[in-house]
Amino acid sequence: MIVSKFGGTSVGTFEAMQRSANIVAADSDRQLIVISATSGTTNDLVALSANNIDSTQREELLGNIEKRHIDIIEQCKEQDKLRDIFYKEFSALREHLDFVGRDKRWKDQLFAFGELMSTKIFVEVLKEVGVDVEWLDARSVMKTDSTFGNADPILASIKKKADKNIQKGKTYLTQGFIGSDVFGNTTTLGRGGSDFSASLFAEAIGAETLEIWTDVAGVYTTDPRIVPEAFPIQEISFDEAAELSVFGGKVLHPATLKPAIRGGVNVRVASSTHPDLPGTYVVKVADNKPPIRAISLRKDQTLLTVNSLEMLHQHGFLAHLFKTLAEHKISVDLVSTSEVSVALTLDTAVNAANKVELTDDIIEELERFAEVIVEDGLALIALIGNNLQKTSGIGGPLFTALETYNVRLICHGASPNNLCFLVDHEQSEDVVRMLHKKFITE
């Protein structure tokens, strides 16, 4: 079985839906189809959740959502049927917006409308191209805890529900991003959670392959918007792809690969607009293992430096520091230490998968036992490859290439698959272009 996930741009228009439907129809092994909300819809729903939104803004956003879906419906053969289905959902959306208690549970139910509307349209588009498909409510399978906004999946329950609700030999269409808790409340897996959902589905049903259909032709050596010479990678290992997704690669959601690795599911990333291109295969062991495969960039990073003479030849300081950060749910990326200081990088980007908010309360608590320095406006660059901690001749050329740039922190040796460092935000894209030209060739 193949699980095929289509992102928002792959179902954002009638033409995009048709292309994606033809991809599904081309291989009968594509038996579980997972799709996102139509492109732009989730952003509109998030905007609708704001407490300070006025009636004019609300109607404008609702108008965007309505037009986006009606434009697709009007090109479908079953447009009368679909119009009735859509306006039933749309009416429920309006009623939900009138509800007074706008908590996280309310928001998750609001955000779910995007996927529910897109799948109820796409199921008819699939039928138009000859796919015998059944609509499946993801919430009947994707069981999670009650952490609204960023729910954790309950793997045993998902497996049990998948065995009950998904029969081999049949084709199903379902939603990414959404699930439900033990009380039946709608939950979401966080922004970018559709890939994660698809991977969890693939693990649960024992799929051979998970396909991620997107608007790019695979995983690139770096962001082609920064480096036009960047090119798609034909094959990459799970370990490399995991590092790349965590350190800024935007094609794969950071959590996507975990279920696939656990379930032994191969992953393919391909373009729904150019399905004839090979895309990128993510496999357990890649045949080609270059020292540097790709370069990632993550902007809007913060460097937190904690200085204290209490660190000098003393035990327990680091435990105290990380206990304090953990209590405030602060996720740390890179760590560098000296005799009397610790430097930590925090992902403070607005669209970060695990966005960190370094509040005044946290800083005040840290200042009770150490001097604290916070530096913003930094960018994290990661070289992703193989056996970097054992490969001779990487460090010298790299540091020579960086001699004209101010490098704030370096992290090397903890992983065989990455070498990371911080530079000023303004210089980051120049650094990526220079390193790609120097270290990566097609």
Side-chain angles (χ1 to χ4, degrees), residues 73-74 76-86:
I73 288 170
E74 287 180 344
C76 295
K77 292 177 182 177
E78 297 286 346
Q79 59 178 276
D80 291 339
K81 173 185 174 182
L82 281 172
R83 194 177 281 107
D84 289 343
I85 291 172
F86 170 76

Side-chain angles (χ1 to χ4, degrees), residues 54 228 326 368 402 436 438:
D54 61 36
R368 292 172 190 165
L402 293 171
H436 191 275
K438 185 174 183 65

Side-chain angles (χ1 to χ4, degrees), residues 328-401:
H328 290 276
K329 302 188 184 311
I330 298 294
S331 177
V332 174
D333 284 334
L334 307 183
V335 181
S336 179
T337 66
S338 71
E339 286 291 333
V340 295
S341 66
V342 183
L344 315 163
T345 68
L346 310 174
D347 191 0
T348 46
V350 173
N351 60 348
N354 293 300
K355 185 178 184 299
V356 171
E357 292 188 26
L358 198 59
T359 64
D360 292 339
D361 290 343
I362 299 170
I363 294 172
E364 287 175 10
E365 189 167 344
L366 293 173
E367 286 178 337
R368 292 172 190 165
F369 59 89
E371 178 191 1
V372 178
I373 302 171
V374 178
E375 297 175 64
D376 298 314
L378 299 171
L380 187 154
I381 295 174
L383 305 184
I384 309 297
N386 297 274
N387 297 315
L388 283 168
Q389 86 283 34
K390 297 179 180 178
T391 302
S392 302
I394 295 291
L398 173 64
F399 295 127
T400 299

Side-chain angles (χ1 to χ4, degrees), residues 176-364:
F177 176 59
I178 68 174
S180 68
D181 65 9
V182 294
F183 305 105
N185 298 308
T186 298
T187 59
T188 65
L189 302 180
R191 293 302 296 266
S194 287
D195 286 358
F196 188 28
S197 293
S199 190
L200 289 164
F201 276 120
E203 178 189 22
I205 68 173
E208 181 180 345
T209 303
L210 165 63
E211 297 176 329
I212 305 291
W213 293 94
T214 182
D215 54 354
V216 295
V219 179
Y220 277 70
T221 50
T222 195
D223 189 337
R225 293 170 298 182
I226 298 173
V227 182
E229 297 78 21
F231 54 89
I233 302 165
Q234 290 192 0
E235 187 181 69
I236 188 171
S237 71
F238 275 123
D239 289 342
E240 293 172 282
E243 297 280 4
L244 190 57
S245 66
V246 167
F247 287 110
K250 293 181 174 62
V251 176
L252 288 171
H253 185 272
T256 300
L257 294 173
K258 291 180 183 178
I261 293 169
R262 285 195 307 259
V265 182
N266 291 323
V267 178
R268 180 186 176 217
V269 181
S271 168
S272 60
T273 54
H274 298 94
D276 51 317
L277 296 176
T280 299
Y281 281 90
V282 186
V283 296
K284 187 173 183 180
V285 180
D287 291 335
N288 180 32
K289 301 177 182 178
I292 299 177
R293 174 98 66 187
I295 301 171
S296 69
L297 169 63
R298 199 164 70 189
K299 296 181 179 180
D300 300 314
Q301 304 298 290
T302 296
L303 181 63
L304 175 68
T305 305
V306 181
N307 299 297
S308 176
L309 291 175
E310 292 181 20
M311 280 187 65
L312 191 62
H313 306 307
Q314 297 294 319
H315 64 272
F317 180 86
L318 288 177
H320 187 190
L321 170 61
F322 284 101
K323 180 175 182 292
T324 302
L325 295 173
E327 288 172 349
H328 290 276
K329 302 188 184 311
I330 298 294
S331 177
V332 174
D333 284 334
L334 307 183
V335 181
S336 179
T337 66
S338 71
E339 286 291 333
V340 295
S341 66
V342 183
L344 315 163
T345 68
L346 310 174
D347 191 0
T348 46
V350 173
N351 60 348
N354 293 300
K355 185 178 184 299
V356 171
E357 292 188 26
L358 198 59
T359 64
D360 292 339
D361 290 343
I362 299 170
I363 294 172
E364 287 175 10

